Amino acid sequence: AEDSASMVLVVTDGQGEIVGAAELALHVPDGQLPSNFPALNAAVEKGFEKVFRGVRGPKPKPRREPYICNVAVSESMRRQGVARELVRLMEQIARHEWGFEQVYLHVDPLNVGATALYEGLGFEFQPEFDGRGPSLLEVVVGMPQMRFMRKRI
């Protein structure tokens, strides 16, 4: 996969109405919630540059891994396996088309249904990232602090 690979899968019903969607992208698996906002991404990159200030030679690029995000299913289609199938398809793409051996995601710990879905699919919480404090995105947008999960595929 290219360093900036990203894709969105969309599920439609028999009439062409969108009933579910999810995104698969490459992000640094650092426990931070990635942002779709260029200004926030630039701030994160500047932070990375500060870490390597004064180091001679080329700066290492952070390792990027497949990251599942923005899984959404219309209310009328929930609990019918749509999200499960979207996640499974993303795992297959990450493994068989992009060549990766693990995939990451974030979950709102208050969303019991999503947490149960991901745990049922074999995702495990990454406790080394708990207590990291909220990400810039979580602060700016006022989101609850998400938990980081990983699955070997």
Side-chain angles (χ1 to χ4, degrees):
E2 294 179 20
D3 194 42
S4 62
S6 177
M7 67 182 327
V8 175
L9 289 180
V10 176
V11 177
T12 60
D13 64 11
Q15 288 78 41
E17 293 291 319
I18 295 174
V19 297
E23 180 181 358
L24 180 65
L26 293 179
H27 288 288
V28 177
D30 59 2
Q32 295 295 314
L33 192 61
S35 165
N36 290 329
F37 303 106
L40 292 178
N41 287 334
V44 170
E45 291 299 322
K46 283 188 183 213
F48 180 77
E49 290 292 322
K50 286 180 187 174
V51 170
F52 291 99
R53 185 179 301 151
V55 175
R56 294 182 186 199
K59 296 177 180 98
K61 284 186 91 173
R63 179 183 102 254
R64 298 184 189 278
E65 298 277 342
Y67 179 80
I68 296 172
C69 57
N70 302 320
V71 178
V73 176
S74 66
E75 284 188 44
S76 66
M77 294 297 292
R78 290 185 185 156
R79 305 206 49 83
Q80 295 183 42
V82 175
R84 179 178 304 277
E85 195 58 31
L86 278 166
V87 172
R88 285 185 178 154
L89 286 168
M90 299 258 179
E91 291 173 3
Q92 290 175 9
I93 291 165
R95 178 72 178 132
H96 299 294
E97 292 184 30
W98 291 4
F100 287 92
E101 296 179 358
Q102 52 195 5
V103 65
Y104 296 86
L105 56 80
H106 277 92
V107 66
D108 177 350
L110 300 177
N111 187 335
V112 177
T115 300
L117 168 69
Y118 298 138
E119 287 182 318
L121 288 169
F123 283 85
E124 297 176 346
F125 286 108
Q126 301 301 293
E128 65 270 25
F129 295 108
D130 290 346
R132 62 175 162 69
S135 71
L136 185 57
L137 178 62
E138 290 163 329
V139 170
V140 170
V141 180
M143 298 174 67
Q145 188 166 344
M146 309 295 259
R147 292 204 58 205
F148 197 51
M149 300 183 85
R150 177 185 72 175
K151 179 181 178 181
R152 295 200 184 280
I153 51 176

